[in-house]
Amino acid sequence: MSFHVLVPARMASTRLPGKPLLDIAGLPMVVRVAQQAQQSRCCQVVVATDSPEIAKVCALHDIASVMTDIHHPSGSDRLAQACRVLGLPDDDIVVNVQGDEPLIDPALIDACAQMLNTHTDCVVSTAAYPLANEEEFVSANVVKVVCDQNGRALYFSRAPIPHWRDAGAAAMVSYPLQAPLRHLGIYAYRVGFLKRFPQLGVSPLEQIESLEQLRVLWHGFKIAVYVAQSHAAPGVDTPADLDRVRQIYLAHGAS
């Protein structure tokens, strides 16, 4: 199996200004992300950016990059343009690794790509892991997914799903037959669908839940879900997240 990794990176973060270039143990965050992705089985890692400064930093560290438009409404639009710039064939698989995931597990990237490769009826794959924490299960900031028996997504929601009518959230997170699944924000796409995605009409469910992946299901396409056995490493959304990730790198003697 051959696949590409694209890392969208832009300078417009409001909570952490200049986030892609923030230092993590001596290297910019976007470089740390790309280096993690390079440890997967992908054929190439390319940063898709709208910032000449990010592109310059990538070049200094031998990371490939492509320039994309500034005013893309979503990361998917940016990736679709990157696929066109790179001339990727429609049948190729692209994994979207977010630019604020410097601890992304290369094995998770491989598993997500493999999930799409084996589910030939699906146009997208993503990942999730079993939830055992009631607070996370009921939190609107934690996205949940329910799947069919073949590992295809039925629905994504910020609500606690599935809902155990006769027991409740506390019992659901310890239910031995069907643990709730927390969605992880990693996606693999077939290039042809990724190019088409920005032209699909926005789904009412997508607007209600503020979840872009619901547009895929709304239009009748299928999403395969890889279920990991443990939670993913933390991303960087806040200054506290940044401090935590820096400490992890320092504790492991990052070079």
Side-chain angles (χ1 to χ4, degrees):
M1 179 185 63
S2 176
F3 65 93
H4 316 264
V5 170
L6 295 182
V7 180
R10 60 195 188 98
M11 296 290 281
S13 174
T14 54
R15 285 185 290 182
L16 281 174
K19 182 162 68 169
L21 300 183
L22 293 176
D23 179 83
I24 296 179
L27 287 175
M29 185 186 307
V30 67
V31 174
R32 289 291 187 193
V33 175
Q35 289 179 341
Q36 282 292 105
Q38 286 174 337
Q39 297 178 54
S40 73
R41 299 200 305 268
C42 68
C43 61
Q44 66 171 340
V45 175
V46 181
V47 172
T49 185
D50 58 6
S51 165
E53 189 176 2
I54 291 175
K56 180 179 178 180
V57 166
C58 288
L60 287 173
H61 293 89
D62 296 320
I63 305 294
S65 68
V66 293
M67 293 299 299
T68 56
D69 295 342
I70 295 176
H71 300 296
H72 281 307
S74 72
S76 301
D77 295 80
R78 189 173 309 284
L79 296 183
Q81 183 186 5
C83 288
R84 293 188 179 94
V85 172
L86 293 168
L88 300 184
D90 286 353
D91 290 338
D92 278 14
I93 290 175
V94 163
V95 178
N96 174 12
V97 173
Q98 296 298 329
D100 56 6
E101 298 281 350
L103 297 174
I104 185 75
D105 184 355
L108 181 63
I109 298 173
D110 292 337
C112 198
Q114 183 62 31
M115 194 71 178
L116 184 57
N117 186 56
T118 57
H119 285 67
T120 57
D121 61 328
C122 297
V123 295
V124 179
S125 68
T126 188
Y129 69 87
L131 265 174
N133 182 297
E134 182 184 357
E135 183 179 351
E136 290 185 348
F137 183 49
V138 300
S139 172
N141 294 320
V142 174
V143 179
K144 279 72 69 173
V145 59
V146 290
C147 303
D148 67 14
Q149 63 180 338
N150 296 311
R152 297 171 182 83
L154 294 170
Y155 192 65
F156 297 84
S157 182
R158 299 183 182 277
I161 56 172
H163 174 73
W164 194 347
R165 185 195 65 177
D166 298 325
M172 189 68 243
V173 296
S174 60
Y175 185 50
L177 300 181
Q178 179 61 62
L181 296 176
R182 177 173 184 165
H183 178 236
L184 297 173
I186 182 172
Y187 297 92
Y189 300 88
R190 300 194 192 280
V191 169
F193 176 77
L194 183 55
K195 292 176 182 176
R196 179 181 177 185
F197 181 78
Q199 279 71 55
L200 296 177
V202 174
S203 154
L205 295 175
E206 170 189 357
Q207 294 177 309
I208 291 168
E209 297 262 17
S210 190
L211 296 174
E212 191 180 62
Q213 62 268 38
L214 289 175
R215 191 187 313 180
V216 180
L217 300 181
W218 175 265
H219 287 279
F221 297 99
K222 295 179 181 179
I223 300 175
V225 181
Y226 168 74
V227 179
Q229 296 306 305
S230 60
H231 64 83
V236 178
D237 291 316
T238 66
D241 295 336
L242 180 62
D243 288 340
R244 182 166 58 251
V245 169
R246 282 171 170 167
Q247 290 302 316
I248 291 172
Y249 266 93
L250 291 175
H252 288 81
S255 59

